[in-house]
């Protein structure tokens, strides 16, 4: 909607909470964020974000920080009114806002001069489509009378106020059909035989509706299942995190195809740069050229392995702005008894988070990438994606590979993880897909250990748990994890995580973390659980012991089992830290 801003959210929320296709409540109204092809053009005051590895993965020129309302000239994030069906609290009329004569905010009833109330209910499907709840069809089908939507039908919605249940919300029509309530409307198969998916994508404007054979499901418009962000993130690592590469980036258009680099550098007045010599700049340009010409693997697994390699080697602080500083803790011999063979202090890191799509009803999953709804129309694809960058600090821990291999090959350990791996395969099988990985004891154990340490360090460092995040590096070649702060609010980089190492208390804090989860207030039910969590992807894990805020976990609180750390009453030698 053009004109004066109707509300505001933080820029970071336009990536994680209120991105394209999501619903935002502003006062008494409700709006949907429009697609990227309707966002204003990049202006000189908009901030572009560069992350070379992610740019190659998504095939874009750059990333863009969501626009802010600092300048009326360049515009703000556009929204549309949704749901379109609204009701009047005065006359109880239920219709689309345009039939009330409402064209701007706040929408009002012409007859009652009262602000309209957006419909509490929408319908959506797992393909990302969304539409208004079909009140007309719900009423007439349920009442045993099939009316025609072309006839004169004045719907009314009335809530008696006796209770907050759906049975207290009554729908009626001027045609005389028997009124019905909303009782049962939110159940999974409630719309079967009443309404099919319309294939609408309102955030993309007046695009033709897609053919969709899925059965839609009614949801309250404020429910979390109406919109899940699908965010991809990466750490800035050498060489792209170095200051000389940032200098090259700013002048890349001039340096990209220059036949004589030394001459062009002098023309750009970079020969006497206070931090970098001409030779250093030339080497950086050549490396960037090689990267553009090469056919490197840009899969998520490959990018993770590059980060793992960067985290396991020293990157000292250098002159100039630097996004990655990683140095070892020289007293890591004390960690040997905990099977940790490397501790790295990541004194500075930069994470770029990119919104690449969203899902409805179910969270984003590698099991069904076709569920991801687009942010733009295929005909108007922009050369950028919305993103944010956050600066933080962290600690990287790598476990002893030899001890891991000996532990994870034990029959009882493999048997413990087998049900989780089977549940993971079943998740993919529902969509006719092959699992993207095998769920191994190494992955589940390291993931659970990361959760336990995050809970402990949030108490020791003063950070709220939601401000700490994990980043797992687990495969047959990797056996580590990074715990870091990377948040855009006030709980950012305060040094509390690196201080866990520098204080010399890291060994005792990890021991405490493991001891703390050895008992759960939900025991014995928790520790004896065969399956738990979403799609049965957990075993001994609940909110009383190892589950975290979902912003902290990259696996959406799945693939967890504290028994692999501390054993069970029936299998005393099952846990990694109790096995000699």
């Amino acid at each position: 909607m053009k004109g004066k801003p109707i509300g505001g959210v933080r820029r970071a929320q336009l990536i994680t909470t209120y991105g394209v296709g999501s619903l935002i409540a502003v006062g008494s109204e409700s709006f949907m964020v429009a697609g990227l092809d309707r966002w204003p053009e990049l202006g000189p005051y908009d901030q572009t974000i560069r992350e070379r590895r992610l740019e190659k993965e998504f095939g874009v020129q750059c990333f863009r920080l969501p626009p802010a309302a600092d300048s009326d000239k360049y515009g703000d994030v556009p929204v549309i009114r949704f749901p379109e069906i609204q009701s009047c609290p005065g006359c109880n009329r239920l219709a689309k806002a345009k039939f009330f004569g409402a064209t701007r905010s706040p929408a009002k009833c012409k007859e009652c001069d009262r602000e309209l109330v957006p419909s509490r209910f929408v319908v959506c499907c797992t393909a990302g489509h969304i539409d208004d709840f079909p009140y007309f069809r719900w009423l007439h089908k349920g009442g045993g009378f099939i009316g025609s939507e072309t006839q004169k039908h004045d719907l009314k919605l009335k809530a008696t106020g006796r209770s907050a249940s759906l049975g207290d919300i009554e729908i009626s029509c001027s045609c005389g059909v028997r009124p019905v309530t909303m009782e049962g409307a939110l159940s999974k198969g409630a719309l079967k035989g009443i309404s099919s998916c319309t294939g609408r994508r309102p955030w993309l404007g007046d695009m033709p509706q897609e053919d969709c054979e899925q059965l839609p499901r009614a949801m309250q418009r404020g429910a979390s299942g109406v919109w899940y962000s699908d965010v991809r993130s990466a750490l800035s690592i050498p060489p792209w995190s170095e200051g000389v590469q940032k200098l090259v980036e700013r002048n890349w258009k001039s340096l990209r195809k220059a036949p004589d680099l030394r001459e062009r550098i002098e023309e750009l007045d970079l020969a006497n740069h206070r931090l970098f010599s001409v030779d250093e700049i030339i080497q950086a340009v050549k490396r960037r050229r090689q990267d553009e010409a090469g056919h490197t693997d840009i899969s998520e697994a490959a990018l993770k392995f590059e980060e793992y390699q960067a985290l396991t080697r020293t990157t000292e602080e250098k002159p100039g702005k630097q996004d990655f500083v990683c140095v070892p803790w020289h007293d890591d011999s004390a960690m040997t008894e905990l099977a940790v063979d490397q501790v790295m202090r990541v004194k500075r890191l930069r994470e770029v988070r990119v919104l690449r799509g969203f899902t409805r009803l179910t969270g984003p999953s590698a099991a069904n990438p076709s569920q991801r709804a687009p942010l733009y129309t295929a005909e108007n694809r922009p050369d950028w994606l919305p993103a944010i960058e956050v600066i933080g600090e962290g600690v990287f821990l790598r476990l002893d590979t030899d001890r891991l291999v000996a532990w994870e090959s034990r029959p009882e350990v493999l048997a413990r993880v087998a049900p989780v791996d089977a549940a993971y395969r079943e998740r993919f099988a529902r969509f006719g897909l092959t699992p993207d990985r095998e769920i191994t004891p190494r992955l589940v154990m390291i993931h659970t250990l990361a959760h336990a340490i995050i809970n402990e360090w949030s108490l020791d460092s003063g950070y709220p748990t939601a401000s700490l995040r994990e980043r797992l590096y687990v495969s047959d070649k990797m056996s580590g994890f990074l715990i870091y702060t990377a948040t855009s609010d006030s709980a950012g980089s305060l040094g509390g995580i690196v201080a866990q190492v520098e204080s010399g208390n890291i060994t005792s804090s990890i021991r405490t973390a493991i001891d703390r989860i050895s008992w759960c207030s939900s025991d014995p039910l928790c520790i004896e659980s065969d399956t738990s969590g979403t799609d049965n992807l957990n075993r001994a894990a609940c909110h009383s012991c190892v589950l975290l805020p979902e912003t902290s976990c990259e696996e959406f609180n799945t693939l967890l089992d504290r028994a692999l750390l501390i054993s069970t009453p029936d299998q005393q030698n099952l846990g990694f830290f109790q096995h000699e």
Side-chain angles (χ1 to χ4, degrees):
M1 302 182 73
K2 297 180 180 179
K4 184 179 178 181
I6 59 175
V9 297
R10 291 182 297 164
R11 279 176 155 175
Q13 288 180 303
L14 287 166
I15 302 296
T16 58
T17 312
Y18 298 123
V20 172
S22 67
L23 296 177
I24 303 179
V26 181
S28 61
E29 297 190 284
S30 175
F31 300 92
M32 177 179 286
V33 179
L36 298 184
D37 44 354
R38 301 175 65 182
W39 285 28
E41 295 292 332
L42 275 169
Y45 300 106
D46 288 316
Q47 181 178 343
T48 57
I49 299 174
R50 309 308 300 259
E51 171 46 51
R52 181 64 187 155
R53 299 189 303 142
L54 286 181
E55 289 168 5
K56 292 181 65 177
E57 179 179 354
F58 294 121
V60 297
Q61 296 297 318
C62 66
F63 302 110
R64 175 186 184 182
L65 195 67
D70 298 332
S71 172
D72 293 335
K73 181 178 179 181
Y74 296 103
D76 206 336
V77 175
V79 296
I80 59 173
R81 180 179 283 122
F82 193 86
E84 296 177 350
I85 293 180
Q86 314 226 349
S87 61
C88 174
C91 62
N92 296 327
R93 185 184 176 194
L94 181 69
K96 291 189 176 182
K98 63 182 180 180
F99 295 128
F100 286 95
T103 57
R104 296 197 57 79
S105 300
K108 288 188 176 182
C109 176
K110 274 192 172 183
E111 296 181 3
C112 305
D113 196 34
R114 296 185 64 174
E115 290 190 11
L116 301 178
V117 178
S119 169
R120 282 175 52 185
F121 308 101
V122 296
V123 291
C124 45
C125 74
T126 54
H129 303 129
I130 188 170
D131 205 348
D132 288 281
F133 183 84
Y135 290 99
F136 179 89
R137 299 183 65 85
W138 177 257
L139 169 62
H140 291 83
K141 184 71 172 180
F145 173 83
I146 304 300
S148 171
E149 296 187 38
T150 61
Q151 296 176 2
K152 181 69 174 178
H153 293 277
D154 292 327
L155 299 183
K156 289 193 174 183
L157 180 147
K158 184 178 180 180
T160 63
R162 291 189 298 267
S163 69
S165 69
L166 295 179
D168 191 47
I169 303 174
E170 184 181 272
I171 315 296
S172 61
C173 181
S174 61
C175 71
V177 67
R178 182 182 178 182
V180 298
T181 69
M182 292 293 292
E183 186 72 34
L186 302 187
S187 60
K188 191 171 184 179
L191 298 179
K192 187 176 182 180
I194 294 178
S195 178
S196 57
C197 181
T198 61
R200 281 198 67 196
R201 297 180 293 176
W203 68 96
L204 297 181
D206 299 326
M207 293 295 297
Q209 297 178 7
E210 289 187 324
D211 293 331
C212 183
E213 298 180 355
Q214 295 195 35
L215 179 66
R217 182 171 182 178
M219 303 279 289
Q220 297 206 49
R221 60 179 168 87
S224 60
V226 172
W227 191 87
Y228 292 99
S229 63
D230 189 356
V231 176
R232 176 81 167 84
S233 69
L235 302 182
S236 294
I237 58 174
W240 314 115
S241 62
E242 297 171 353
V244 65
Q245 283 292 345
K246 295 179 180 297
L247 177 66
V248 169
E249 180 65 52
R250 291 193 296 270
N251 298 276
W252 183 241
K253 288 184 179 180
S254 299
L255 296 170
R256 184 176 184 178
K257 295 183 178 180
D260 189 331
L261 281 177
R262 195 172 296 273
E263 180 180 342
R264 183 57 55 87
I265 289 171
E266 292 178 355
E267 291 175 358
L268 295 172
D269 198 24
L270 300 178
N272 297 317
H273 196 277
R274 62 185 183 88
L275 296 176
F276 310 114
S277 67
V278 174
D279 290 336
E280 287 177 317
I281 298 174
I282 290 175
Q283 289 300 318
V285 173
K286 289 181 177 179
R287 184 158 194 172
R288 175 68 182 271
R289 287 178 174 178
Q290 291 172 356
D291 181 71
E292 286 201 343
H295 300 284
T296 56
D297 187 357
I298 57 174
S299 65
E300 184 172 359
L303 299 187
K304 273 286 191 77
F305 187 64
E306 289 179 358
E307 292 179 9
Y308 180 76
Q309 290 178 311
L311 288 165
T312 54
R313 59 174 176 251
T314 301
T315 302
E316 297 284 358
E317 192 163 4
K318 302 176 183 177
K321 187 177 180 181
Q322 195 174 351
D323 290 330
F324 188 81
V325 178
C326 181
V327 294
W329 181 43
H330 298 293
D331 191 23
D332 56 2
S333 58
M335 301 289 288
T336 304
E337 60 184 283
L338 291 175
V340 176
D341 67 358
Q342 187 175 31
V343 180
M344 301 294 287
R345 297 169 293 164
V346 188
K347 292 187 174 182
R348 183 178 177 87
L349 62 83
R350 170 181 178 260
E351 182 186 24
V352 175
R353 301 174 190 163
V354 180
L355 179 65
R356 60 177 174 178
F358 63 90
T359 61
R360 303 197 192 277
L361 298 184
T362 60
S365 169
N368 193 7
S370 62
Q371 287 184 345
R372 187 185 305 135
L375 303 178
Y376 46 80
T377 59
E379 298 79 10
N380 299 299
R381 179 183 179 182
D383 60 358
W384 53 270
L385 286 174
I388 57 171
E389 61 177 353
V390 286
I391 306 300
E393 43 101 18
V395 172
F396 174 78
L397 302 174
R398 186 180 67 184
L399 299 188
D400 187 320
T401 304
D402 293 336
R403 290 183 60 176
L404 266 177
V405 170
W407 170 79
E408 66 187 359
S409 60
R410 299 175 65 207
E412 60 268 34
V413 174
L414 293 170
R416 178 75 187 182
V417 177
V420 179
D421 183 52
Y424 191 77
R425 291 178 178 275
E426 174 61 25
R427 171 189 271 191
F428 280 76
R430 289 200 299 267
F431 303 102
L433 299 174
T434 303
D436 61 338
R437 58 182 168 171
E438 178 186 1
I439 305 306
T440 62
R442 179 183 303 200
L443 171 60
V444 178
M445 187 275 290
I446 290 180
H447 187 202
T448 310
L449 176 61
H451 276 228
I453 294 177
I454 286 176
N455 277 325
E456 180 64 26
W457 285 2
S458 69
L459 299 174
D460 294 344
S461 66
Y463 285 115
T465 308
S467 294
L468 301 181
R469 292 169 64 92
E470 67 179 5
R471 200 163 180 84
L472 304 178
Y473 300 93
V474 182
S475 70
D476 56 346
K477 299 179 180 178
M478 300 185 291
S479 58
F481 60 95
L482 172 69
I483 296 176
Y484 65 106
T485 64
T487 177
S488 56
D489 61 15
S490 57
S493 179
L494 303 177
I497 295 301
V498 171
Q500 297 298 311
V501 177
E502 296 177 342
S503 65
N505 296 326
I506 184 172
T507 304
S508 60
S509 69
I510 293 178
R511 280 205 201 95
T512 303
I514 297 171
D515 290 342
R516 190 183 298 276
I517 66 166
S518 64
W519 182 86
C520 171
S521 60
S522 296
D523 281 341
L525 294 178
C526 179
I527 195 66
E528 294 177 355
S529 175
D530 291 330
T531 58
S532 65
T534 304
D535 293 337
N536 296 324
L537 291 175
N538 288 337
R539 294 206 66 174
C542 70
H543 286 285
S544 299
C545 48
V546 296
L547 297 192
L548 295 175
E550 289 199 359
T551 54
S552 302
C553 177
E554 66 176 32
E555 296 289 352
F556 299 99
N557 271 333
T558 62
L559 310 181
L560 296 164
D561 182 11
R562 62 191 178 94
L564 293 179
L565 293 177
I566 49 89
S567 299
T568 66
D570 296 334
Q571 294 178 297
Q572 294 292 330
N573 293 322
L574 180 68
F576 178 73
F577 291 101
Q578 293 187 11
H579 171 60
E580 298 298 334

